[in-house]
Structures are given as C-alpha cells and as structure tokens.
Amino acid sequence: MLFFILVVPRPLQGAPLSDAQEWMLYTEIEILEDPGGKLALGDVRNHGSWQANGTSVFSKGFSNSAWWLRFTVTNENNRAVQRLLSLSFPQLDNVLVHVLPDSGTPLRYQLGRHFPYQQRPIDHPFYVLPLEWAPGETTTVYLRILSTSAVQAPLTLWQPEAFYSHDMTRNIMHGIYFGALLAISIYNLLLFFSLGERNYLYYVAFVICLVLFMVAFTGYGFRYLWPTASGWNDQAILVFLSGALGFGALFSRRFLCLREISPRLDNGVKAVVVFSVICVVLSFVISYQFMIGLLALITVLASVYGLYVGIYAWYRGQVTARFYVIAWSFPLLGGIVLVLNKVGILPPNSLTNYSAQIGNLFEVVLLSFALAQRINVERRLRFKAQSETLAISHKLNLELEERVRERTRELESLNKELNELSVTDGLTGLKNRRYLDRLLGQELARAKRSGRPLAVVLLDIDHFKPINDRHGHHVGDECIKVMAGMIQDGLNRPADIAFRYGGEEFVLMLPDTDMQGALGVADRIRERILAARIEVAGLTLSMTVSAGVCAPKPHAELTPQDLLKGADTALYEAKEQGRNRTRLYHLVATA
C-alpha cells in the first residue's frame, strides 16, 4: 500500500500593524540560519526550519553563518499607513532586504557598511527603510544578514514623526558626548603647548583616537567623514581602537611614573604599546572578524592591567593615582559590558549599547581632573627640587637625557619600520608601485650611462574577475598572494625585482637583461604558473597569466613611462590574442 503526503507551506500570519510610535519587533520576528550562506529568497520563503525569535533583540554574537529574518504585518486600517523600519546596528557588513507586499511591487534594498553610503534610501547612520501599507494590505519583509562583526538586528517600526524626534534627541546626546571630548582635548592640548609636558599630548592623542573610534563605531564616520570609502570602515574601527589602546598605555606609563615605581610593570605597559602598533599593521592584512576579537580581548586585558598598575601606584604613594584608578574603572566596566553585549551574553539595550560612551565620558573627565591635580603636584615638586643639591639635579638630568635617547631610538625604529611598510605591498609582501616609480628611474639612468640593457615585464592574471565574483574577494586575495610568491620564486638574480603594480598586475624590472633574456624570464614564469595547481580555501584552481615585455636599447629620450607603456601595450596585445602568452613591444627611438 502506498501513502502520499502532500506538504503545503504554512501561510504567514500577519501581525496587526501597531499604532505605537515605536514598535520594537521581537516576538513578531522569525529567524532562519543559513550556515553555508547559499540560500536565496526563493529557497527560504517556504523553508521548514523557521523559528520564533523570542522576547529580546535578535543577537548571535560573532557568527560565520548568514541569518534570515522575516516578519509579516497587516494594515487593518481603512487608510494607507507609512512607517520607517530601523535596523539600529551600523556595524553589519551586508544586509539584503526584500519587501514583499501581497499586492503591489516587491522592493529590494542592498545595505551594509561594505556598500556605498549613497545607496541607502534614507540618509542615516543606521539602516532605515521607508515602508507603506495600503488599506488592508499585508507585507512580509525578509532580511538576510551576513557580517564579520557581531550579528545583531535591533528592528523597530517607527511612525516617521516619532523617529525623527527620537533621532534628534540621539544626535544631540552624541553631539554633547563628542563635543565634550573634543573640548577636553583642546583644553589639554593648550596645556601641552603651555607646559611642554608630553603626558598631555599622550592624553590628547588618546582622547582623539577614542572619539574617532566611537565616530566609526556609531556610523557617523561613514555618514560624514568617509561616505565613499566603504572599505575603510573596518580599518577605521581597528586602527583607532588600537591607537586609543597604545596612547592610553603611554599616558598611563608616564602619568603613574611606572619606570621609577616598578620597571616590571613598566615593561608590561610597554608591551601593550607594542601590541597596539602590531594591531594597526595587522588590521590591513588580517580579517576584521579575527582582529576585532583579538583587539576586544587585548583591550579588556589591558584595561584590567591598567587598573592594577594604578592601584599599585596608589599603594606606593602616588598622590594622583587614586584619581587614575577611579577614572580607569569606568571605561573598564563599560568596555566589559560592551564586549559581553557584542558576543551575545548581555542583551542589547540603551545601557549596554552605550556603555562604552558612558564609561569613556566619565573616564576622560576624571583623567582631565587628575591632570589638573597633577599640575599642582608638579608645581610643589618643582619648588622642592630647587632645594635639592647639585648632585641630585645632575642625576635627574642624566635620567632625562636617557629618556630622550630611549624615545629617540623608539621613534627611529618605528620610522624605519614605517618606511619599509610604505614601499611594501601589504597583501603580497612585494615592493609596491611607489617603490617602482622611484627605482625604475634610477635604473634607467644607470642603463643610459652604461649602455647596458634594461627590460620591463608587465604580468596580468587572466580571468581574475570571475574568480572574485564567484568565490569572493578573500579567495581572490589568496590567489594574488600565491601568484606573487610564484613570480618572486621565478626570478633567479638578486638584481631582478618583482613589484605589485595594482590589482592583479605585477611588474618585473630586469636590469642588464636584453629582449631575449626578458622573454625567457617571462615565459619561464608564465609556464610555471600554467603547470601549477593552486590550492586556496579548499579550492583547486588552474590559472594563467599574460605578459608584455618592453626591452629597448636605452637612449636619451627614453623615460620610465615609455617602458611601462610599452610593456602595457604588449600585454594588451597578448590579451587580445587569447591570453596565456607573452608578447614583445618594439620601442623605436626618436631622432
């Protein structure tokens, strides 16, 4: 006997549209996890795994899954109704919204901090969408959220007038917060100019980094400062948080005189400074999800350590350390609450969402007061120092000179590292285009004087855009790194240098290499790449490159731009003739 079971999708029941000015959508939301991130709207509409959200804001902490949310609302009024849907968490990378009325035209919105700000339907740091119901109309809204940051979706339906009124209050509160921090920064900067004490400068740098971090974190930076630089959104949070961590450590070290009180604790604070610099560098080469988790952990640990060294300095008799301890307790508590909120342990609400701002504001005010107290303490110490003997004064001068030498060595080391970073491509480790522009002119001038040949090869990965489109930019970046390594390994002479020219293009500069030699190098690298099987993110890819060679005999009118243009022309010819080939450009000298 055969049994046939007919599965009929459960129709969505629309909740009556509330007349409340602010309707927080908790119990009205259903959620669906998409671990592979491959489900489309057609796949999820009748999916059988939808679950109720519960009675709190949807929050999943850091998650690699794509999450689908939906809610259905029916307008039971006999008039058209307008509402604003607010998703008040600006740190989401990718938010795809489908608005499906039971009658009328479906709407689709692509939002997120990785997309240009101008494509938002409403100018706002949050994700705000206009919705409209005809009389008796039922509308279902689907949201697909995928983010490397914490996954939260505080969804609220607002009456437009109430939303803009609430938003005005919110903007005023943020204005007071940012204005207070900037006013304190300017005041202490003037003190630095007046007194010349670097501790004030460290404090100002700490507050400015804190302000910029909060500007980026709250979405105001994307709205007002870099609306077209969507890629900078991730780096801004990481860079400014690292800066606040580093300058806060420098301030604490000097304010508490840790070097004199406890060299061991002083070394720990210096390690925090080193970590902050490393985090700034790594933020440009390592994923945001990993870095924000690492920075959150380091920030919590460094805050606890800062509180500990403050208590120790207080115990050792530092007069102003008690103000430092009280001030440092506020951001520590606020930071812990914020981290617990982002990882999903504490529920999102006004207190947990703004705990960092509240704690930071108290901290900055109290530290400013502590610095003012320090002025009085230092004045008394200066009067006391005038009565010390000449020997003690000499000893203090020697210590000051040693401090200057130590800072100078640190700055020289950092400048050396920054100089190396400025000429190195952060993704591949090859020299960058800036270094190519400088070195190619020097090598061409040398070739003109000696009469020796100079060749330039321009390499371009074939069909690279489909790889990015199909597998994502992270796979594309890994492919570029692997290709860069193969190109570098294909150079046999120390004088030959590979550069990343931009995107998927690379340049080889081959001194003392004629046309045949350059063609040989280009073909050797091209054939090596053709024969390779590239393993990236669990994928096995076969890739090819096209190459353009320019190797003229140097003459007086020849410029670096001529060499690059010639190689580019030859590369274009190789692309036009089918790719995976090498072509030579014959540059004719002008009379």
Side-chain angles (χ1 to χ4, degrees):
M1 183 180 294
L2 298 178
F3 294 92
F4 295 92
I5 300 176
L6 179 62
V7 179
V8 179
R10 179 175 60 87
L12 295 180
Q13 300 297 323
L17 181 62
S18 172
D19 290 330
Q21 294 184 340
E22 175 186 2
W23 183 17
M24 290 178 286
L25 303 174
Y26 298 157
T27 57
E28 294 76 14
I29 295 175
E30 292 182 299
I31 60 176
L32 174 66
E33 183 177 6
D34 177 13
K38 297 179 180 180
L39 298 180
L41 177 63
D43 302 321
V44 304
R45 291 186 67 176
N46 296 321
H47 203 284
S49 299
W50 286 94
Q51 297 180 355
N53 174 62
T55 58
S56 61
V57 172
F58 171 77
S59 178
K60 293 298 177 181
F62 291 97
S63 173
N64 293 321
S65 299
W67 291 88
W68 285 87
L69 286 73
R70 73 179 180 186
F71 64 90
T72 303
V73 174
T74 300
N75 177 20
E76 297 180 348
N77 299 300
N78 57 3
R79 55 182 175 81
V81 176
Q82 294 180 342
R83 292 291 187 270
L84 293 178
L85 175 63
S86 170
L87 200 170
S88 55
F89 185 59
Q91 297 307 312
L92 297 173
D93 297 349
N94 190 324
V95 180
L96 180 62
V97 183
H98 296 277
V99 181
L100 307 179
D102 58 3
S103 62
T105 304
L107 300 175
R108 180 181 183 274
Y109 300 95
Q110 181 67 73
L111 309 171
R113 62 176 177 172
H114 285 177
F115 296 89
Y117 183 84
Q118 290 79 5
Q119 70 183 47
R120 300 187 182 189
I122 292 181
D123 181 14
H124 198 275
F126 295 161
Y127 308 117
V128 182
L129 302 176
L131 300 179
E132 184 171 355
W133 283 263
E137 184 177 50
T138 298
T139 296
T140 302
V141 178
Y142 287 82
L143 298 94
R144 180 184 183 273
I145 299 175
L146 180 63
S147 184
T148 55
S149 65
V151 176
Q152 294 184 4
L155 289 171
T156 307
L157 271 179
W158 293 84
Q159 292 196 20
E161 298 81 4
F163 174 80
Y164 289 115
S165 176
H166 178 271
D167 193 52
M168 180 180 296
T169 303
R170 175 180 174 273
N171 288 333
I172 291 174
M173 296 304 296
H174 275 99
I176 293 173
Y177 169 74
F178 292 128
L181 294 186
L182 289 176
I184 292 173
S185 300
I186 294 172
Y187 169 73
N188 284 278
L189 185 61
L190 294 175
L191 286 178
F192 164 73
F193 289 136
S194 175
L195 301 175
E197 169 57 50
R198 274 183 296 169
N199 212 23
Y200 295 99
L201 186 60
Y202 291 151
Y203 176 75
V204 171
F206 164 71
V207 176
I208 292 299
C209 286
L210 199 60
V211 169
L212 292 175
F213 164 72
M214 295 308 302
V215 165
F217 186 79
T218 55
Y220 284 101
F222 197 23
R223 182 183 188 185
Y224 295 112
L225 301 182
W226 50 81
T228 60
S230 55
W232 168 242
N233 266 324
D234 287 348
Q235 274 69 41
I237 291 176
L238 300 175
V239 168
F240 294 134
L241 180 56
S242 300
L245 186 65
F247 284 115
L250 288 172
F251 167 80
S252 300
R253 180 172 180 257
R254 192 172 180 87
F255 182 84
L256 298 174
C257 300
L258 287 180
R259 183 175 179 180
E260 292 77 17
I261 294 177
S262 173
R264 179 175 56 86
L265 294 179
D266 182 57
N267 290 333
V269 175
K270 287 193 289 187
V272 174
V273 177
V274 173
F275 270 118
S276 68
V277 175
I278 293 174
C279 286
V280 170
V281 176
L282 293 181
S283 68
F284 292 92
V285 295
I286 297 181
S287 69
Y288 174 86
Q289 188 175 38
F290 175 82
M291 285 303 302
I292 194 63
L294 176 64
L295 262 176
L297 176 62
I298 293 175
T299 300
V300 171
L301 294 178
S303 298
V304 173
Y305 186 74
L307 184 62
Y308 170 74
V309 298
I311 294 174
Y312 182 81
W314 189 358
Y315 169 76
R316 289 292 302 272
Q318 272 277 4
V319 178
T320 53
R322 62 180 182 273
F323 300 109
Y324 173 90
V325 171
I326 297 173
W328 207 253
S329 301
F330 284 98
L332 176 60
L333 180 60
I336 292 174
V337 171
L338 182 64
V339 170
L340 294 178
N341 166 256
K342 297 313 171 190
V343 299
I345 297 177
L346 292 180
N349 53 49
S350 298
L351 181 60
T352 58
N353 288 338
Y354 294 100
S355 60
Q357 292 98 314
I358 296 171
N360 291 335
L361 186 58
F362 276 104
E363 175 201 24
V364 168
V365 172
L366 290 173
L367 284 181
S368 181
F369 177 74
L371 280 172
Q373 287 294 103
R374 188 177 178 85
I375 295 176
N376 296 326
V377 173
E378 290 175 346
R379 182 182 295 114
R380 290 196 297 269
L381 289 176
R382 283 196 297 269
F383 286 140
K384 181 179 179 181
Q386 291 174 0
S387 64
E388 297 292 338
T389 64
L390 184 61
I392 297 178
S393 178
H394 180 67
K395 179 182 178 180
L396 293 176
N397 287 335
L398 290 178
E399 291 180 357
L400 181 59
E401 290 174 2
E402 178 60 26
R403 286 187 183 182
V404 172
R405 284 193 294 269
E406 180 183 344
R407 299 300 189 276
T408 302
R409 287 193 295 268
E410 291 175 358
L411 289 174
E412 288 175 349
S413 175
L414 290 175
N415 285 335
K416 184 178 179 181
E417 293 177 10
L418 291 174
N419 183 62
E420 180 64 23
L421 288 173
S422 69
V423 297
T424 302
D425 177 60
L427 177 65
T428 63
L430 301 179
K431 297 299 181 183
N432 59 21
R433 183 168 181 174
R434 177 187 298 177
Y435 191 62
L436 170 66
D437 294 339
R438 183 201 312 172
L439 193 59
L440 184 57
Q442 297 173 0
E443 285 297 327
L444 181 57
R446 186 188 65 81
K448 290 179 181 179
R449 291 194 303 269
S450 64
R452 302 290 297 170
L454 173 65
V456 170
V457 179
L458 188 58
L459 300 165
D460 185 82
I461 302 175
D462 296 328
H463 304 294
F464 181 72
K465 187 176 185 298
I467 295 177
N468 263 343
D469 294 341
R470 186 178 303 113
H471 303 295
H473 288 283
H474 66 287
V475 173
D477 288 346
E478 289 299 319
C479 289
I480 289 176
K481 289 168 64 176
V482 173
M483 299 292 277
M486 298 177 68
I487 291 171
Q488 180 66 49
D489 293 343
L491 300 178
N492 296 329
R493 300 184 309 164
D496 299 339
I497 303 178
F499 304 83
R500 186 182 181 195
Y501 195 59
E504 64 270 22
E505 291 186 322
F506 302 87
V507 171
L508 306 180
M509 188 182 69
L510 309 174
D512 297 325
T513 304
D514 59 13
M515 176 182 66
Q516 293 302 323
L519 287 171
V521 172
D523 280 330
R524 182 173 70 247
I525 293 175
R526 181 180 59 80
E527 292 170 0
R528 181 177 182 181
I529 293 173
L530 175 63
R533 293 296 177 267
I534 299 174
E535 302 288 340
V536 174
L539 303 172
T540 301
L541 302 175
S542 297
M543 304 183 70
T544 62
V545 296
S546 300
V549 177
C550 185
K553 182 178 180 181
H555 55 84
E557 291 78 14
L558 187 64
T559 66
Q561 289 73 26
D562 293 333
L563 292 172
L564 293 172
K565 184 177 180 181
D568 186 63
T569 301
L571 173 63
Y572 181 78
E573 181 180 344
K575 293 282 188 180
E576 287 292 308
Q577 294 181 3
R579 295 182 171 81
N580 188 27
R581 61 195 66 218
T582 304
R583 288 294 177 264
L584 174 69
Y585 178 76
H586 297 279
L587 187 63
V588 180
T590 58

